[in-house]
């Protein structure tokens, strides 16, 4: 990975006037049984932007991500991809739409019976016609990207927590997805690796043009990568603010947002 | 530096045990807290205290701590619980009337008011209704309520079971059309784990089963001088029933539980979610190889168990004065096609049931280590139950079509 300044100046994404946002969330209410996690979420994610979902622990960030990828059905509202209703689509149609997704789960969720190489290879085997050799080369490249070259034949049980995260990131990038969902990529990593990861995220967007949705509450990551950030407010159970993090930190009318972004940790 | 006193006493000396009184004073409830509060002595329940309030309750709560003695964390614990309960009842407590040190301790725990607001979010009803709800939760669940909860949850689990049967059927259908995303390479692994690795225990159990049957038979046959029938009787019992049952029970204990634990822990670590998002149906990818493996394994194990059991029978028979030749001669008569094959035919169906039970319990597993344990236990129970029920059905069926 070529070294580049993580604290680079933010050039807000060129506001291409786009008729249809890449992802739009309309009136989304999320609940477990009759316990409402978040209500009436309304926002759009533009193509090619790095969109950060932030908020305190337990506010529903991972839950929102699960709704976005269709692992959970909303209590109300819907999610649209490229203007198509994902929530109301049939399971078969959703499977097709998911071919463009890459998801990195908070727990890593590597398949424990497969080696790291096999983990990254599985999406390629399922959804491409590539030969074994080609798959093998892509796998090596993706693992090298996250600094796991040489660990191809390791099993998930044999690597550390931070390595699990990185391997999971490599797997989520296997198919060069259109949209990448990352749940706390920086958690459990040392500051240096965490910065490398921020860099990687920026490069994936720049080189592949992917839309990237990142869940995180680490300020470092937020300020390093976010084009726009969505703050889920646990106190009101809905959106607290949406905008560029620096802008939000300095000018948000919501004191909890300013506090969240200007805390020192 | 001197050791801090064990109790952060606010008052002076011993004033007796913790005491609570509640009274109404011009629209406000006054809670009088007195005595010494210690976690070792136990402390009163906040909910019970609020119970004492009349239905037309005051909407504020003040504290009178004049007679408060020593206290430790039992007091803030009690107060936190009181705040939580009074908030759900729509009563606003005035924490300003608490001694400063107590309210500081309380403020520490209130830094994260999430649980309180969550409770408010759920019960968005009138104060009186909320109080009733709190009261109801206090009364331990009645028998009827428990029966109700149990029936609802069992209906829900039937729902899940039917759903899973549907998914498995669809996956099998896809398999026969050659469209299933199954890794057949995995089947070998599961065949080894469920079959080859189970041979020692199957040998032991079925040999002993044959032996036991032989002894039981011998005692009866001896009385009519028909001990020569012991060996054929054991053979018949093993081939028709006991061989397949013993092999099935062992598979339930060894393999169904393993399947439930494997899939359950995959559920916990979101591996199954990852497959689903990838568009790989978890049933085809995870359940089919296990099911196919057992369909191969159990018939073979059944034949092997028959063999070991018959050996056990022969051993007893020939040690009780019947020659081996005689025994073998008699046994030949029961070695008919229906007798030999009935156990094997059943074993194919039992294999499907056992694999299904294990995988089902794993797939519907909750998200904790405890849930994985429960999944494994209930997989064994479900598997054995299904096998015995199916065996009874087969007994009736074979009788009806005269399969002897
Ligand atoms: N399976 C579940 N069943 C019931 N409630 C759940 C479940 N999973 C999460 N919750 C609840 O939903 C809320 C949001 O959880 P979620 O995992 O989305 O939080 P989060 O924002 O990702 O937190 P963190 O930053 O700690 O990962 C929590 O209050 C949690 O109690
Ligand atoms: Mg989370």
């Amino acid at each position: 990975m070529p070294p580049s300044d993580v604290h680079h100046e933010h050039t807000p994404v060129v506001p291409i006037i786009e008729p249809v946002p890449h992802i739009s969330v309309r009136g989304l209410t999320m609940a477990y049984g009759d316990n409402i996690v978040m209500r009436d979420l309304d926002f759009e994610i533009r193509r090619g932007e790095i969109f950060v979902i932030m908020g305190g622990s337990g506010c529903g960030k991972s839950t929102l991500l699960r709704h976005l990828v269709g692992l959970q059905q909303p209590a109300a509202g819907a999610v649209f991809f490229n203007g198509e209703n994902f929530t109301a689509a049939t399971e078969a149609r959703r499977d097709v739409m998911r071919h463009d997704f890459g998801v990195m789960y908070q727990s890593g969720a590597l398949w424990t019976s497969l080696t790291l190489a096999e983990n990254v290879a599985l999406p390629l085997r399922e959804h491409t016609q590539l030969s074994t050799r080609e798959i093998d080369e892509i796998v090596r490249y993706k693992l090298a990207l996250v600094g796991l070259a040489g660990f191809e034949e390791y099993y998930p049980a044999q690597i550390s927590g931070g390595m699990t995260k990185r391997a999971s990131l490599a797997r989520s990038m296997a198919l060069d997805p259109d949209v990448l969902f990352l749940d706390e990529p920086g958690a459990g990593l040392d500051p240096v690796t965490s910065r490398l990861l921020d860099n990687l995220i920026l490069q994936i967007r720049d080189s592949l043009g992917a839309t990237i949705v990142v869940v995180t509450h680490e300020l470092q990551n937020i300020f390093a990568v976010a084009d726009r950030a969505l703050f889920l407010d646990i106190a009101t159970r809905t959106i607290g603010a949406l905008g560029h993090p620096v802008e939000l930190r300095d000018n948000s009318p919501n004191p909890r947002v300013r506090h969240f972004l200007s805390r020192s940790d | 530096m001197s050791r801090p006193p064990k109790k952060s006493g606010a008052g002076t000396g011993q004033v007796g045990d913790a005491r609570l009184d509640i009274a109404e004073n011009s629209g406000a409830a006054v809670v009088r807290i007195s005595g010494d509060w210690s976690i070792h002595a136990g402390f009163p329940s906040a909910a019970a205290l609020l119970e004492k309030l009349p239905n037309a309750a005051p909407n504020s709560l003040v504290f009178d701590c004049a007679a408060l003695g020593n206290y430790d964390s039992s007091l803030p614990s009690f107060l936190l619980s009181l705040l939580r309960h009074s908030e759900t009842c729509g009563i606003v407590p005035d924490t300003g009337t608490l001694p400063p040190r107590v309210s500081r301790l309380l403020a520490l725990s209130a830094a994260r008011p999430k649980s309180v607001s969550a409770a408010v979010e759920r019960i968005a009803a009138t104060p009186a209704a909320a109080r009733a709800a709190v009261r109801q939760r206090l009364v331990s669940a009645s028998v009827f309520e428990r029966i109700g909860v149990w029936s609802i949850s069992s209906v829900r689990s039937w729902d899940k079971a039917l759903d899973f049967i549907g998914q498995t059927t669809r996956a099998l259908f896809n398999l026969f059309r050659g469209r299933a995303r199954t890794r057949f390479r995995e089947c070998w692994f599961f065949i080894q784990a469920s079959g080859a690795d189970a041979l020692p225990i199957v040998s032991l159990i079925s040999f002993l089963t044959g032996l036991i049957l032989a002894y039981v038979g011998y005692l009866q046959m001896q009385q009519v001088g028909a001990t020569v029938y012991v060996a054929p009787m054991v053979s018949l019992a093993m081939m028709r029933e006991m061989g397949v049952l013993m092999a099935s029970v062992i598979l339930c204990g060894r393999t169904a539980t393993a399947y439930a634990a494997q899939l359950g822990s995959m559920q916990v670590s979101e591996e199954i979610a990852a497959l689903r998002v990838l568009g790989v149906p978890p049933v085809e990818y995870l359940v089919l190889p296990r099911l196919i493996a057992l369909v191969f394994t159990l018939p073979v194990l059944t034949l092997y168990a028959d063999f070991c059991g018959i050996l056990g029978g022969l051993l007893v028979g020939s040690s009780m004065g019947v020659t081996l030749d005689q025994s073998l001669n008699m046994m030949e008569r029961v070695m008919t096609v229906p007798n030999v094959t009935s156990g094997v035919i059943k074993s194919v169906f039992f294999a499907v049931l056992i694999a299904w039970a294990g995988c089902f319990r794993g797939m519907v597993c909750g998200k904790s280590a405890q849930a994985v344990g429960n999944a494994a236990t209930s997989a064994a129970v479900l598997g054995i139950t299904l096998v015995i029920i199916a065996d009874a059905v087969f007994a009736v069926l074979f009788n009806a079509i005269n399969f002897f």
Side-chain angles (χ1 to χ4, degrees):
Chain A
M1 198 186 308
S4 85
D5 188 7
V6 183
H7 298 289
H8 74 142
E9 262 314 299
H10 262 284
T11 39
V13 161
V14 192
I16 313 162
I17 311 297
E18 212 187 337
V20 185
H22 196 170
I23 305 171
S24 45
V25 172
R26 293 275 161 263
L28 184 71
T29 294
M30 315 186 289
Y32 287 100
D34 51 6
N35 203 356
I36 292 171
V37 178
M38 280 280 150
R39 63 167 87 247
D40 300 326
L41 302 184
D42 256 297
F43 60 91
E44 290 172 354
I45 300 175
R46 301 172 192 143
R47 184 169 292 280
E49 83 174 333
I50 300 181
F51 188 88
V52 165
I53 298 172
M54 58 189 188
S57 180
C59 71
K61 303 184 293 296
S62 301
T63 306
L64 176 56
L65 213 60
R66 277 201 292 275
H67 279 78
L68 291 180
V69 300
L71 281 172
Q72 260 172 275
Q73 277 297 98
V79 178
F80 295 78
F81 283 91
N82 296 317
E84 182 176 350
N85 191 330
F86 180 68
T87 305
T90 62
E91 193 58 31
R93 176 66 197 147
R94 272 201 261 183
D95 274 347
V96 174
M97 291 168 80
R98 281 185 189 128
H99 288 185
D100 298 332
F101 292 8
V103 187
M104 178 192 150
Y105 302 84
Q106 188 166 9
S107 58
L110 294 175
W111 296 301
T112 41
S113 59
L114 307 181
T115 62
L116 298 194
E118 287 168 335
N119 261 284
V120 181
L122 184 65
L124 293 161
R125 278 213 310 266
E126 285 296 327
H127 294 311
T128 69
Q129 309 295 322
L130 296 172
S131 70
T132 321
R133 177 193 58 77
E134 288 161 325
I135 289 183
D136 187 56
E137 283 167 9
I138 295 177
V139 166
R140 273 170 200 286
Y141 169 67
K142 302 272 158 154
L143 282 173
L145 272 186
V146 294
L148 284 176
F151 288 95
E152 286 83 1
E153 299 312 316
Y154 279 61
Y155 281 92
Q158 299 169 321
I159 60 176
S160 75
M163 289 160 82
T164 304
K165 281 258 140 124
R166 287 184 277 150
S168 178
L169 179 64
R171 185 180 70 185
S172 68
M173 297 188 308
L175 286 166
D176 288 348
D178 236 14
V179 44
L180 200 52
F181 298 96
L182 310 177
D183 197 346
E184 312 228 345
L189 296 183
D190 63 281
V192 177
T193 319
S194 177
R195 268 173 213 208
L196 285 178
L197 216 62
D198 288 343
N199 239 326
L200 182 61
I201 291 173
L202 289 168
Q203 305 224 334
I204 296 169
R205 192 270 306 274
D206 294 342
S207 55
L208 302 176
T211 304
I212 305 184
V213 181
V214 190
V215 166
T216 180
H217 46 221
E218 320 243 338
L219 291 183
Q220 268 246 296
N221 305 131
I222 297 174
F223 286 110
V225 303
D227 292 317
R228 288 191 307 150
L230 173 77
F231 181 80
L232 296 181
D233 194 340
I234 195 166
T236 57
R237 284 169 197 274
T238 188
I239 296 179
L242 172 63
H244 189 274
V246 175
E247 176 73 14
L248 293 182
R249 181 190 60 198
D250 300 337
N251 303 322
S252 172
N254 186 333
R256 283 182 296 273
V257 178
R258 290 199 307 274
H259 180 243
F260 184 87
L261 285 169
S262 54
R263 73 194 201 270
S264 52
D265 56 6
Chain B
M1 211 172 78
S2 68
R3 217 163 143 256
K6 202 170 172 215
K7 288 182 178 179
S8 48
T12 48
Q14 292 279 318
V15 240
D17 285 344
R19 264 184 63 86
L20 271 180
D21 301 294
I22 193 161
E24 243 193 290
N25 187 5
S26 59
V30 182
V31 177
R32 241 175 66 81
I33 302 173
S34 55
D36 286 329
W37 288 64
S38 157
I39 34 178
H40 301 291
F43 54 93
S45 136
L49 183 73
L50 287 178
E51 281 267 273
K52 291 189 201 153
L53 280 179
N55 247 344
N59 43 22
S60 72
L61 195 75
V62 294
F63 298 95
D64 169 11
C65 303
L68 180 60
N70 291 327
Y71 59 87
D72 54 17
S73 59
S74 61
L75 181 58
S77 308
F78 161 79
L79 287 172
L80 186 65
S81 148
L82 181 65
L83 293 194
R84 212 172 42 231
H85 279 103
S86 55
E87 211 164 309
T88 44
C89 298
I91 303 175
V92 184
D94 178 8
T95 48
T97 49
L98 286 168
R101 292 179 64 174
V102 178
S103 57
R104 270 203 302 279
L105 280 175
L106 204 56
L108 273 181
S109 60
R112 235 166 278 173
K114 201 189 137 218
S115 51
V116 175
S117 54
V120 174
E121 182 84 23
R122 262 199 310 275
I123 311 167
T126 59
R131 194 155 41 233
V134 170
R135 196 168 299 165
Q136 185 156 31
R137 248 179 292 149
L138 293 175
V139 183
S140 60
S142 72
V143 176
F144 295 111
E145 192 179 337
R146 283 184 204 184
I147 292 175
V149 168
W150 176 80
S151 359
I152 289 172
S153 70
S154 56
V155 166
R156 287 213 184 117
S157 77
W158 274 105
D159 192 40
K160 281 187 197 155
L162 287 177
D163 186 42
F164 191 64
I165 290 175
Q167 288 182 36
T168 316
T169 314
R170 180 139 59 121
L172 280 172
F173 188 65
N174 281 345
L175 180 74
F176 290 128
R177 287 194 309 171
R179 291 232 198 116
R181 289 207 182 85
T182 305
R183 294 208 309 162
F184 294 100
R185 206 154 45 98
E186 290 233 297
C187 292
W188 290 113
F189 170 78
F190 291 124
I191 287 176
Q192 182 190 342
S194 63
D197 295 352
L199 284 181
I201 183 82
V202 171
S203 319
L204 179 71
I205 300 260
S206 40
F207 180 79
L208 291 181
T209 306
L211 207 93
I212 294 164
L213 285 177
Y215 269 113
V216 174
Y218 179 81
L219 291 177
Q220 295 298 311
M221 307 276 186
Q222 197 189 25
Q223 293 174 6
V224 289
T227 48
V228 71
Y229 281 106
V230 168
M233 184 211 74
V234 172
S235 310
L236 190 64
M238 284 309 294
M239 288 187 302
R240 288 200 73 99
E241 295 295 342
M242 294 316 281
V244 61
L245 278 185
M246 286 301 137
S248 298
V249 167
I250 291 167
L251 272 198
C252 284
R254 282 186 88 249
T255 311
T257 50
Y259 287 179
Q262 287 159 7
L263 297 188
S265 66
M266 290 183 77
Q267 192 74 260
V268 172
S269 62
E270 299 185 288
E271 288 173 57
I272 291 181
L275 277 180
R276 194 165 283 149
V277 169
L278 191 59
V280 178
V283 173
E284 289 177 16
Y285 194 79
L286 299 172
V287 176
L288 283 192
R290 290 171 165 81
L291 195 143
I292 294 169
L294 284 204
V295 168
F296 278 104
T297 308
L298 189 54
V300 177
L301 280 187
T302 298
L303 282 174
Y304 180 69
D306 293 351
F307 173 76
C308 293
I310 290 171
L311 224 56
L314 274 181
L315 186 77
V316 174
S318 48
S319 68
M320 301 282 182
V322 184
T323 67
L324 190 61
D325 255 3
Q326 278 175 309
S327 288
L328 288 178
N329 252 334
M330 295 300 289
M331 266 168 57
E332 231 180 88
R333 299 196 196 166
V334 294
M335 292 289 176
T336 60
V337 171
N339 286 345
V340 176
T341 55
S342 67
V344 178
I345 292 172
K346 288 195 282 190
S347 72
V348 174
F349 290 89
F350 293 178
V352 174
L353 293 178
I354 295 167
W356 183 85
C359 293
F360 168 61
R361 285 304 181 184
M363 293 293 275
V364 300
C365 174
K367 295 220 164 187
S368 65
Q370 167 110 39
V372 174
N374 290 345
T377 312
S378 54
V381 175
L382 180 64
I384 292 174
T385 312
L386 288 179
V387 163
I388 302 285
I389 292 175
D391 198 34
V393 172
F394 271 111
V396 175
L397 202 71
F398 283 166
N399 190 41
I401 62 171
N402 245 331
F403 193 67
F404 290 108

